[in-house]
């Protein structure tokens, strides 16, 4: 049977929408807030070309030479490993590993640089919270501020289009709201690709999803402290869809996309388990992750949780 929804011959494929907020614009103006929340919850990206987060001259100089801040620079250039800052503890996580070409690696910050890097990341987290509360005041109470990520390493290989899955930090149906900033001291842009809207992506891969691990498996891992909280069916679906999309070479070659260049000093905001994205190149970016309960959204039906529940016919949290 031919499903009409899968045919898009001759039509201009739809990609993620972008709202640009010009420098100096009032983020608290009612019409600005309305446009921002509609764009964000609708699966778009909010782009602030000059958002105002800045490093001091000394900080710029420090990060200009990664050998000054890290004990080891990896020989693969895919932007990993990253440095994670936990705002609740006010500290960089010491043992945050990433798989870099089969090897487990971590970004080990030099003792001499640690206070400065922690200060930058702490300041960034507060700044990010301030921007988000100005633009989305209705999120303020329920919004949960999680980790800050710093990517000191260069990326020179294109990351497949994907939605974010939270691995060790299940969102349990909450949306992953993230604000990113390019802080490259040599004015190198951060380049991303942005894909199609969430729903056509899900419709394409949903028939291939087979959830394997039962919920009890995840709750044991959570109880042992291996993961931070139990993975719900929602987390499992998101992880499965992400993996299917990333693995599908044909999809990655032909999927609708547009390329965005974010210069130094720019920031951008998106719900990253709703927006298909992938980094192409860049070095030195910061981002702050928040978890947002869907009930706190202006229109929860736009959330990836509610879209997935509608398409699967299941309750997922
Ligand atoms: Fe991502």
């Amino acid at each position: 049977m031919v499903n009409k929804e899968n045919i898009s011959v001759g039509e201009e494929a739809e990609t993620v929408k972008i709202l640009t907020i010009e420098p100096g614009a009032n983020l608290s103006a009612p019409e600005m807030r309305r446009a921002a929340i509609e764009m964000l919850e609708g699966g778009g990206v909010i782009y602030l070309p000059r958002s105002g987060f800045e490093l001091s001259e000394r900080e710029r100089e420090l990060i200009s030479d990664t050998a000054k801040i890290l004990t080891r620079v990896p020989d693969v250039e895919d932007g990993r490993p990253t440095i994670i800052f936990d705002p609740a503890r006010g500290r960089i996580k010491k043992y945050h590993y990433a798989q870099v070409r089969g090897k487990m690696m971590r970004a080990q910050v030099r003792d001499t640089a640690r206070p400065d890097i922690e200060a930058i990341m702490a300041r960034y987290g507060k700044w990010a919270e301030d921007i988000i509360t100005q633009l989305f005041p209705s999120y303020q109470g329920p919004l949960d501020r999680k980790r800050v990520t710093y990517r000191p390493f260069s990326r020179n290989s294109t990351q497949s289009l994907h939605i974010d899955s939270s691995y060790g930090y299940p969102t349990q149906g909450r949306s992953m709201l993230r604000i990113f900033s390019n802080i490259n001291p040599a004015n190198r842009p951060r380049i991303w690709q942005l894909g199609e809207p969430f729903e056509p992506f899900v419709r394409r891969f949903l028939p291939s999803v087979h959830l394997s691990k039962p919920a009890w498996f995840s709750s044991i891992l959570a109880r042992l402290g291996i993961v931070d909280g139990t993975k719900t069916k929602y987390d499992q679906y998101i992880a499965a869809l992400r993996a299917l999309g990333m693995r599908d070479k044909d999809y990655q070659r032909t999927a609708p996309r547009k390329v965005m260049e974010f210069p130094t000093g720019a920031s951008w905001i998106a719900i990253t388990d709703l927006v298909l994205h992938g980094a192409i190149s860049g070095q030195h970016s910061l981002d702050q992750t928040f978890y947002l309960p869907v009930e706190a959204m202006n229109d929860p039906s736009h959330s990836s949780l509610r879209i997935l529940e509608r398409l699967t016919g299941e309750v997922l949290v």
Side-chain angles (χ1 to χ4, degrees):
M1 194 175 76
V2 178
N3 183 350
K4 264 194 173 167
E5 282 176 346
N6 290 333
I7 303 172
S8 61
V9 182
E11 280 172 3
E12 185 70 32
E14 198 190 340
T15 52
V16 166
K17 290 188 177 58
I18 295 170
L19 172 72
T20 303
I21 298 183
E22 297 303 336
N26 178 8
L27 302 186
S28 309
E31 63 276 19
M32 172 68 76
R33 287 174 165 171
R34 241 189 329 268
I37 204 163
E38 199 177 300
M39 181 57 65
L40 182 84
E41 294 188 358
V45 171
I46 296 170
Y47 170 43
L48 300 107
R50 283 208 306 280
S51 55
F53 181 77
E54 277 177 22
L55 299 184
S56 69
E57 191 52 47
R58 203 173 70 88
E59 289 168 338
R60 263 198 298 275
E61 207 184 303
L62 173 72
I63 67 163
S64 294
D65 181 3
T66 31
K68 268 199 235 160
I69 54 174
L70 298 152
T71 55
R72 192 175 157 208
V73 177
D75 48 6
V76 259
E77 301 213 315
D78 71 349
R80 284 177 294 171
T82 58
I83 298 172
I84 304 289
F85 176 83
D86 177 1
R89 300 178 64 218
R91 254 188 250 151
I92 287 170
K93 277 194 164 183
K94 261 204 166 152
Y95 300 100
H96 174 72
Y97 284 88
Q99 210 173 27
V100 181
R101 236 178 245 170
K103 275 187 280 179
M104 294 308 276
M105 284 188 59
R106 70 186 166 109
Q108 203 176 340
V109 181
R110 289 186 183 278
D111 288 342
T112 46
R114 179 177 299 276
D116 286 309
I117 300 297
E118 281 181 338
I120 292 171
M121 295 178 83
R123 196 169 83 236
Y124 183 74
K126 293 222 172 73
W127 173 86
E129 190 164 46
D130 185 49
I131 292 277
I132 296 298
T133 23
Q134 277 185 62
L135 266 179
F136 314 106
S138 57
Y139 292 170
Q140 196 171 4
L143 202 63
D144 191 1
R145 181 148 78 95
K146 298 289 193 184
R147 61 203 173 272
V148 178
T149 307
Y150 171 33
R151 295 163 209 277
F153 297 122
S154 188
R155 167 174 283 280
N156 291 315
S157 64
T158 301
Q159 186 183 28
S160 300
L161 285 167
H162 66 280
I163 43 171
D164 283 350
S165 155
S166 52
Y167 296 112
Y169 321 87
T171 72
Q172 301 175 326
R174 289 171 289 176
S175 293
M176 246 195 268
L177 167 55
R178 301 176 79 182
I179 175 165
F180 301 82
S181 299
N182 182 3
I183 55 162
N184 188 286
N187 293 323
R188 182 178 168 197
R190 185 155 194 88
I191 303 177
W192 269 28
Q193 54 175 343
L194 293 164
E196 64 183 330
F198 184 72
E199 186 156 338
F201 164 77
V202 174
R203 283 186 187 275
R204 177 177 180 125
F205 289 105
L206 200 55
S208 314
V209 172
H210 302 287
L211 301 186
S212 51
K213 294 193 183 73
W216 60 260
F217 180 81
S218 165
S219 66
I220 288 174
L221 293 184
R223 246 178 278 147
L224 294 172
I226 295 168
V227 293
D228 180 13
T230 305
K231 269 192 186 172
T232 61
K233 258 191 160 180
Y234 169 80
D235 295 290
Q236 293 179 309
Y237 266 111
I238 288 287
L241 288 166
R242 170 196 162 97
L244 284 166
M246 288 185 93
R247 243 184 272 138
D248 189 327
K249 290 203 175 76
D250 191 44
Y251 179 74
Q252 292 298 331
R253 210 178 47 243
T254 59
R257 82 199 62 210
K258 67 174 146 228
V259 172
M260 272 298 285
E261 241 183 64
F262 302 108
T264 294
S267 299
W268 57 107
I269 307 166
I271 295 176
T272 56
D273 46 5
L274 187 64
V275 174
L276 279 142
H277 64 281
I280 294 177
S281 63
Q283 183 180 10
H284 299 293
S285 74
L286 287 169
D287 65 84
Q288 167 71 62
T289 301
F290 301 88
Y291 286 176
L292 176 68
V294 298
E295 301 78 27
M297 288 170 70
N298 187 43
D299 187 349
S301 74
H302 286 152
S303 66
S304 44
L305 171 65
R306 295 290 180 245
I307 293 173
L308 268 177
E309 287 188 329
R310 174 161 52 80
L311 296 179
T312 58
E314 290 179 73
V315 176
L316 299 178
V317 290

